Amino acid sequence: MPGPSHTGMVEKRGAGHWLSHAGLILGVLIIAFPIWLAFVASTVTNQEIVQPPMPLWPGDRFYENYSNALVSGINAPVARMLMNSAVMALGIALGKILISLLSAFAIVYFRFPGRRLFFWLIFLTLMLPVEVRIVPTYEVAANLNLLNSYSGLIFPLIASATATFLFRQFFMTVPDELAEAARVDGARPMRFFWDILVPMSRTNMAALFVILFIYGWNQYLWPLLITTDPSMNTIVMGIKQMFPSGDDYADWPVIMATSILAMLPPVIVVITMQKLFIRGLVDTEK
Amino acid sequence: MATITLDNIKKSFGKTDVIHGVSIDIEDGEFIVIVGPSGCGKSTLLRMVAGLETITGGEVQIGGTRVNETEPMDRDIAMVFQNYALYPHMSVFDNMAYGLKIAKTPKSEIAERVAVAAKMLQLEPYLTRRPRELSGGQRQRVAMGRAIVRKPKAFLFDEPLSNLDAKLRVQMRLEIKALQRELGITALYVTHDQVEAMTLADRMIVMNAGVADQIGAPLEVYANPLTEFVAGFIGSPATNFLPAAALPGTPASAARVGIRPEHAWLSTEGEARLTGTAVYSEALGAETLVHLRLPDGEMFTIRQDGARAQPAEHQTCHVAWDTDQQMEFDEAGRRI
């Protein structure tokens, strides 16, 4: 019986195989090292951090530093900031999904005057990042008394051209006969939307949720502008607020604990949702 | 169960007229097949009856009521689509029950009606499955089931068998016919397959470029086609057409003459009305199709019994037929 040809996979068993692994491991170490340092810094005293050499192994202050950060923090308790971030990220992710689903539904399934114009207008806003329109947006938010509120954190960021475009593309692959069958079955447009389109889009929704949650969680500039009350700070901008101005000393262990805490929710979302959308990819239902 | 009346139905997309006025009175429980080549407007006609396409002119009545402006859901019809159009995320049961659920039918009645339909269609073991876990034939049955449970006034079929393989198509054809007979529900069925049309129809509408060329019972249409198009489209293999000038003894008004392959035979030189060269023969067992090339280059097909001798290639053949069976058409393609 002839053996497998000595190309491809088999060849990689040699030195090349180990070399590429070594390269990958090195890469992981380089990327993970700062995170490890942050973790180490969050488990020792401030004294140990400011005094060189910096420790490379965790100390014994894990519990104190983290409970200190969560309960009292520096400007506001980190637990509070985590809550604010969670509300903002969830609000943005879910809101964006809902609004994009509805607007894509309108664009794909209804013939109304200016349909193409509206689509291209939405598409055009893809090219305008938050930073470009941030001053007028702030003006509007301030006039509407949205400063220091969840509404102010969420609503200005809740429309998504990308997600609308994505759902539009998906809806266009749904056979017309399905909509017609639903019409014959007696489903009015919104019934068709909820009973058929939304369940069919759930894989796309899961994938988008991950991306949009992280997008919402990582917002920095907008919360920095719109929240002045520390109790409304989100965690990502809150970290920056923890740095002292002037000659005060920085409470590094608490700041580092906060950083680690800020990283956890996106990681959890990615890990749990990953399972869901891999399952979604395996049983395609079109 | 209801009568359906189409009164001079017209359809235009912008300035293009697609359907030029079709009229028919369909009796309660009748099986009507709309047949024609692709692009003749047969699906559009069906979709206008369904309410999925607006009606440009004329009137559609279902059960004696004008439904031109009525939404599909309120016309009380059920439709079976070419690609089945099953809801992919719902089980077979839910697919069949969806229309009833929307109509707010009591749960116990839904369960009962779906059970009856499932039994009729041998779908009982599959009620919890998703459409993608079913074969093509089973999906087709679910689509049928979805139509049956509604107890509609009429069934509308849009080429429902064209995605199935040949064997399954024959089987489902018989099942559809039996089911429609059993339920006694008026049916409109669109197909491009003339065999389906011949076997299923009580009456058929032969469509040609947006015009109903002929409406009648299948055998009547076959025996007595009113136009050259119908003569060529209904019957397999297709009718041979010859210029009338080539045949002595045809009326002066005739432009073309049609002879069905089954009506012509290879003859002796004495009785021959035509002479050609054998190009090839297709022996199908029970019958043989002999293809001849005429002196003017046109092809002529003869269908003969499989037991008879086949002419050798390039052999000169003589062809005869009974002049009573030849069909004469005028310049415009109308039967004389």
Side-chain angles (χ1 to χ4, degrees), chain A residues 177-178 180-188 191-192 195-197 199-200 202 283-286, chain B residues 47 51-52 71-74 77 81-83 85-89 98-99 102 130 132 146 150:
Chain A
E177 286 193 340
L178 218 54
E180 290 173 350
R183 254 180 100 188
V184 172
D185 264 343
R188 309 266 160 195
R191 184 92 198 229
F192 168 69
D195 284 359
I196 290 156
L197 276 185
M200 281 178 75
R202 60 175 195 272
D283 33 74
T284 45
E285 295 205 23
K286 252 192 302 173
Chain B
R47 291 163 57 82
L52 296 171
E71 279 288 305
M73 54 200 85
D74 302 321
I77 43 107
F81 294 87
Q82 182 173 356
N83 300 316
L86 301 178
Y87 311 121
H89 59 288
Y98 188 58
I102 291 175
R130 298 280 170 88
R132 72 190 139 85
R146 191 164 64 176
R150 301 260 312 277

Side-chain angles (χ1 to χ4, degrees), chain A residues 212-239:
Chain A
L212 296 177
F213 180 86
I214 292 169
Y215 166 87
W217 188 268
N218 286 342
Q219 281 304 314
Y220 175 72
L221 187 58
W222 183 249
L224 192 66
L225 279 178
I226 203 158
T227 65
T228 44
D229 178 357
S231 73
M232 285 307 292
N233 284 357
T234 63
I235 192 158
V236 172
M237 61 155 299
I239 293 170

Side-chain angles (χ1 to χ4, degrees), chain B residues 61 85 151 242:
Chain B
Q61 295 179 358
K151 296 188 183 164
L242 300 168

Side-chain angles (χ1 to χ4, degrees), chain B residues 20-48:
Chain B
H20 305 276
V22 174
S23 302
I24 183 177
D25 285 307
I26 302 170
E27 279 169 42
D28 189 7
E30 206 175 3
F31 201 122
I32 299 290
V33 175
I34 306 170
V35 64
S38 47
C40 71
K42 56 189 190 301
S43 280
T44 311
L45 187 63
L46 186 83
R47 291 163 57 82
M48 284 196 282

Side-chain angles (χ1 to χ4, degrees), chain B residues 54-331:
Chain B
T54 55
I55 298 164
T56 314
E59 188 170 89
V60 174
Q61 295 179 358
I62 298 177
T65 334
R66 176 189 163 98
V67 293
N68 282 33
E69 289 78 25
T70 314
E71 279 288 305
M73 54 200 85
D74 302 321
R75 294 189 184 195
D76 203 4
I77 43 107
M79 191 151 170
V80 177
F81 294 87
Q82 182 173 356
N83 300 316
Y84 321 132
L86 301 178
Y87 311 121
H89 59 288
M90 292 188 195
S91 68
V92 169
F93 180 93
D94 289 334
N95 261 288
M96 294 210 265
Y98 188 58
L100 296 176
K101 259 182 209 158
I102 291 175
K104 299 208 167 68
T105 314
K107 272 205 171 123
S108 56
E109 195 186 333
I110 293 180
E112 196 182 307
R113 283 213 220 168
V114 172
V116 170
K119 190 167 181 200
M120 217 183 271
L121 295 162
Q122 297 137 46
L123 283 172
E124 281 163 317
Y126 310 110
L127 283 176
T128 56
R129 296 216 194 153
R130 298 280 170 88
R132 72 190 139 85
E133 297 165 313
L134 301 176
S135 68
Q138 288 164 341
R139 283 181 210 185
Q140 178 59 55
R141 284 206 182 90
V142 177
M144 294 279 304
R146 191 164 64 176
I148 291 171
V149 293
R150 301 260 312 277
K151 296 188 183 164
K153 285 183 183 159
F155 285 140
L156 307 179
F157 296 95
D158 191 2
E159 308 211 16
L161 302 183
S162 52
N163 282 357
L164 300 179
D165 62 57
K167 201 176 159 192
L168 209 51
R169 210 178 299 159
V170 174
Q171 185 194 337
M172 287 304 294
R173 198 166 77 204
L174 294 172
E175 282 183 32
I176 288 178
K177 179 81 173 174
L179 215 57
Q180 192 266 346
R181 281 274 168 280
E182 191 182 331
L183 300 169
I185 293 176
T186 316
L188 258 175
Y189 187 108
V190 164
T191 182
H192 59 264
D193 180 346
Q194 53 122 350
V195 179
E196 260 172 46
M198 293 293 288
T199 50
L200 284 171
D202 292 325
R203 281 194 294 160
M204 58 197 215
I205 305 175
V206 187
M207 296 273 296
N208 175 24
V211 175
D213 261 23
Q214 188 165 6
I215 299 174
L219 285 179
E220 177 198 322
V221 172
Y222 169 82
N224 199 13
L226 293 180
T227 67
E228 192 176 328
F229 171 80
V230 175
F233 193 76
I234 300 297
S236 172
T239 302
N240 302 295
F241 289 101
L242 300 168
L247 299 168
T250 48
S253 57
R256 313 230 314 148
V257 173
I259 301 117
R260 290 201 182 275
E262 50 272 40
H263 293 155
W265 62 82
L266 294 175
S267 67
T268 60
E269 199 171 346
E271 62 170 345
R273 298 176 60 82
L274 267 185
T275 303
T277 319
V279 181
Y280 55 92
S281 300
E282 293 174 292
L284 304 173
E287 63 192 37
T288 303
L289 307 179
V290 181
H291 299 274
L292 307 176
R293 189 179 298 283
L294 303 180
D296 64 358
E298 292 290 312
M299 298 297 289
F300 193 98
T301 307
I302 294 172
R303 179 176 175 177
Q304 65 174 20
D305 195 275
R308 293 184 59 174
Q310 298 171 20
E313 246 177 85
H314 306 308
Q315 183 186 327
T316 303
C317 296
H318 304 287
V319 183
W321 61 87
D322 200 336
T323 43
D324 290 350
Q325 286 178 316
Q326 78 184 25
M327 304 174 281
E328 288 137 8
F329 300 95
D330 67 13
E331 207 58 62

Side-chain angles (χ1 to χ4, degrees), chain A residues 168-180:
Chain A
R168 171 188 180 260
Q169 296 307 97
F170 172 69
F171 288 169
M172 281 171 41
T173 67
V174 173
D176 287 345
E177 286 193 340
L178 218 54
E180 290 173 350

